[in-house]
Amino acid sequence: MKKNLLLLIAVLFSLNSAIAQVGIVRGVVYDDELGETLPFSTIFVKEAQKGASTDLDGAFSIDLPVGTYTFDFSFVGMTSKTITSVEVKDGQVTELDIRLGSSAAALEEVVVTAKMVRNSESAMLTLQKKSANLIDGISKQTFRKIGDSDAGGAIKRVTGVSVEGGKYVYVRGLGDRYTKTILNGLDIPGLDPDRNTIQMDLFPTNLIDNMVVLKTATPDVSGDFTGGIIDIATKDFPVSQSFNVSLSGAFNPSMHFNNNALTYKGSSTDWLGFDNGMRTLPIDPQQKIWTLADNEANLTKITQRFDPTMGAEKATSPMNFSAAISTGNQFKIKKATIGYNAALNYSNTTEFFEEVQYNFFIKGLDPSKDYNFALDQSQKGSLSKNNVMASGLAGLAVKWDKHKFSFNSLHIQNGENTAGQFINQKYIFNSAVLYRDNLEYSQRSITNFNLKGEHSLGATGGLKVDWSVAPTISRIDDKDVRVTPFKVEDGNYTIEPSEGADPLRLYRSLSEENLSGRVDITKKFITKFGDAKLKIGGSNVIKTRDYSILQYNVRVTGQSQLNLNGDPNSLLLPENLWTPEKGIGTYIRGNFEPANSYDATQSITAGYVMSEMSLTSKLKAIYGLRLESFKHHYTGQSNLGDEIYNDVEINSSLDLLPSVNLVYALKENTNMRFAATRTLARPSFKEASISQIYDALSGITFIGNLGLQTTRITNVDLRYEQFGKAGQMFSVSGFYKMFRDPIEVVAYSQLAPNNITPRNVGQANVLGAEFEIRQNIGIESNGEKPLSVGSNFTYVYSNVEMNPSEFLSRVENARSNEEVKNTRRLQGQSPYIVNLFLNYSSEQNGIEGNVSYNVQGKRLSIVGLGRNPDIYEMPFNALNMKVTKRFGAEKRGSISINGQNLLNAKTRKYYEGFNANSEIYQLFKPGMQFGMSVGYAL
């Protein structure tokens, strides 16, 4: 019995060992001519006498015992390729990405080693080389090399791309109005209602497979862009099993561990990115607010319900920290391949600015001598921000035979707590000195679901049907914004509403629902000069937004008999509240403004037809038409009630958007491209409204404009590009854009220089050039050149033909000897963008390093009219570095150090004018930041 048991254990052990000695070879087979995958191509492993075929994605997966093998790859009409020396290791995945060329070029079989395959040109550069339209991009392999933790840091490496504040993308120097961000090919709203693009720092790089920047239009993409479309693609089928964890921290000497930082008591869940209800409006929005004349005790009860905290307090600012965890794998069940991904990310960052400025200047009254600007209002002080970001992604995909389905869910939760203390001085239209406390909390969230299907029909997969649908819910709540200003005169602190010392409580709520869907049908066929495609499809996007602002003021009567002493927290103390018996004290006053509440709906329905075919052996044409129908409905009313809109169609259009892209192959890896396209830029919900949105922090009021029209743009692009081995490339481009009715932000009231509004101007022209080079340098070691350099430079010239009212306004307010032209720069357009980088990446010693520099030129930020000068955003010279050391037998562990803003650049906006000294409009000093992170892949 004992012998039989030992024999059974030995057999089981040997079976287990045999089972364990198995590895997997996975990869994708590409058409080297078109850059596309090759579904249903044939694979044969000689030593194992085992065959397989790729699926509808061109992907394959073969289980093999440990050993070294030879793989044969073939496809009808393509040159066969043999890969030798493919090593299969126990329990590991070996990756092989194969490119097959046309059999017309060479009929004989190509034989290479597996080592050569692994060092072949990256998929991203192949996509750029073979793409129908002009694109640039960045892949997950590049994320790993450069070490950027989020999409905002990574995307600025792309030619012609700059990032404002680490979040908002500008392509070719154009403002975010002309840049569109999509997720997995479909629209997604952002967390900031003031912007047309989503914040890029919301997406950690461990969620992303690649990011592509489309710079020219084709009929199958949305026509609502001009600078570029940023398409963020999340991971689908992981090549191998992964489980990654990382922790990081960052220290800014000018911000962290500073005892002068500011805060206020929040809720117990602030650290999770949401308020637990503590800041929720404590009364019903329809609640009647009694006046003092009513002598009603209920007024006291209502006032008592509001949180009495109105002022900031000193605190020590902590350093930044973040954590991330992700996992993914693919496996087979019978004929189906199933892939999954999941990721959780958390970051908690603190900023403290000791020297913040918001100032408002106007031109002097006397043009003959008042060259310098007159200060109307100044605001100086300190500001603290704590920003919590939590995100989670879960994805599941399944494919079999000629069908594939995938589902992704994404939730992003963001909470930002702000505390500030300022000294405000008013000089011209109102003379007063105010001491002001600001307390704010913004709670934002995005929930996105994406369901996609891909179906390859016909014996050879020549007919392909793709569809996708994505509902998104976006929610933004500014919860209990508190502003408490005191007028200071001769050492006395008083509440004076007429002088601007009017304590305020704001509750803003925005909810947006977005439903996007599309269907694409592609038919492949053969022509005299090779493969061709006919593609038709349609899409629909429906967006609905509900927006409201509730405003309450804290008023006081008999304040000379109260003990306020300029302390914001004394306002709502029980002993200082108004009661009918005392007849003095503080109380809440409601101030609902109808214009600040609206509902709106936008719908965009589109259909297209396009063809992609080779006209000669070297010339490929991609051309077609896109038809977009746009409707914008609005419900709201003005404060006076003289304008009432009930689901009124305020903007509608039917636009035909033709496009043609030509690609001429000068050599195998050299292209000349030409594109002529038509695109659009539409007003946002906020812009096309009659709302007046007050920013309590800066004092700026944004006033909507219902009369805005759609901007229509004609685009012409020309590009020469040359691709080398191992990711090397060189390109030079030129582009021209003509805008009709561009939308610009204007400061238009000389009595209120802090009021801004959007408006259309007549016509604008943009002419630019781009240059990019990526080169591996140094001595080759073990088949790799670890050192590489790169740069890209964009130069842009723009001008706007002023409309008569603007030109007349500038003439009337011109200074002596000032020549006023009827043209100027386009608002939001940077004249140049520079990106430089130096990379070091060695698989052998596990060291990766990156030094990068980015700057964009001075751009017109706000157009000044009347006595308001133009406002310019100054260049921000960003110098960053990161070094990573990977350790362990399989380089699974990593430790990184990084430095951000090493030149200690400042964020600055200035007023500028003829013969006038430049004056500060806004000033922030972000300081230098140093960080370290550790990670491990199980």
Side-chain angles (χ1 to χ4, degrees), residues 726-867:
Q728 300 178 101
M729 73 162 301
F730 168 80
S731 70
V732 59
S733 311
F735 57 90
Y736 169 76
K737 299 178 182 293
M738 183 180 71
F739 297 75
R740 192 177 73 191
D741 298 321
I743 301 172
E744 298 186 321
V745 178
V746 175
Y748 66 96
S749 173
Q750 63 188 32
L751 297 177
N754 53 337
N755 288 351
I756 59 175
T757 190
R759 56 140 208 193
N760 291 104
V761 295
Q763 183 172 306
N765 296 280
V766 170
L767 182 65
E770 291 176 327
F771 165 86
E772 179 179 18
I773 186 170
R774 280 181 257 173
Q775 181 70 42
N776 298 332
I777 61 175
I779 300 174
E780 184 172 316
S781 174
N782 294 312
E784 63 178 4
K785 284 189 176 182
L787 197 62
S788 62
V789 296
S791 67
N792 57 73
F793 174 76
T794 303
Y795 170 79
V796 181
Y797 166 80
S798 69
N799 74 353
V800 170
E801 296 180 8
M802 300 181 195
N803 56 36
S805 61
E806 179 183 347
F807 180 67
L808 179 61
S809 173
R810 290 182 179 270
V811 170
E812 290 175 346
N813 290 276
R815 308 294 94 174
S816 293
N817 301 318
E818 180 182 2
E819 180 184 354
V820 179
K821 298 180 180 179
N822 64 351
T823 60
R824 56 163 172 78
R825 290 190 193 179
L826 178 66
Q827 185 258 327
Q829 174 71 65
S830 295
Y832 64 84
I833 302 171
V834 177
N835 286 302
L836 306 172
F837 68 83
L838 174 66
N839 286 340
Y840 178 87
S841 179
S842 172
E843 293 285 345
Q844 183 181 14
N845 58 32
I847 296 178
E848 298 166 0
N850 174 269
V851 178
S852 63
Y853 171 79
N854 171 266
V855 65
Q856 62 180 8
K858 181 177 74 175
R859 63 170 176 249
L860 179 59
S861 180
I862 299 176
V863 178
L865 292 183
R867 291 175 61 191

Side-chain angles (χ1 to χ4, degrees), residues 150-163:
D150 61 65
I155 195 68
K156 64 187 178 185
R157 320 288 180 183
V158 176
T159 304
V161 171
S162 57
V163 180

Side-chain angles (χ1 to χ4, degrees), residues 344-460:
L344 293 173
N345 295 271
Y346 177 84
S347 68
N348 191 312
T349 61
T350 299
E351 296 177 299
F352 174 54
F353 303 94
E354 284 196 282
E355 299 178 50
V356 174
Q357 291 190 46
Y358 300 97
N359 301 308
F360 302 102
F361 286 82
I362 61 174
K363 296 178 181 178
L365 283 172
D366 190 344
S368 64
K369 60 181 181 181
D370 291 338
Y371 287 95
N372 289 326
F373 307 130
L375 180 59
D376 175 47
Q377 300 178 43
S378 70
Q379 176 179 317
K380 299 179 180 179
S382 56
L383 178 69
S384 291
K385 290 189 176 185
N386 177 250
N387 194 296
V388 174
M389 190 84 71
S391 64
L393 177 140
L396 183 67
V398 58
K399 58 184 176 181
W400 71 94
D401 295 333
K402 300 179 180 181
H403 306 280
K404 174 182 174 182
F405 296 91
S406 61
F407 176 77
N408 281 293
S409 61
L410 171 69
H411 181 78
I412 301 172
Q413 186 69 42
N414 174 230
E416 185 176 67
N417 195 336
T418 302
Q421 290 182 330
F422 302 96
I423 299 176
N424 283 58
Q425 290 185 272
K426 300 184 178 183
Y427 298 93
I428 299 177
F429 303 110
N430 190 349
S431 179
V433 177
L434 307 178
Y435 279 33
R436 195 182 85 217
D437 282 55
N438 280 70
L439 308 178
E440 300 188 13
Y441 187 79
S442 292
Q443 178 178 305
R444 311 177 181 103
S445 67
I446 288 179
T447 303
N448 171 262
F449 301 98
N450 191 304
L451 178 64
K452 298 175 65 176
E454 300 176 27
H455 312 278
S456 187
L457 308 177
T460 60

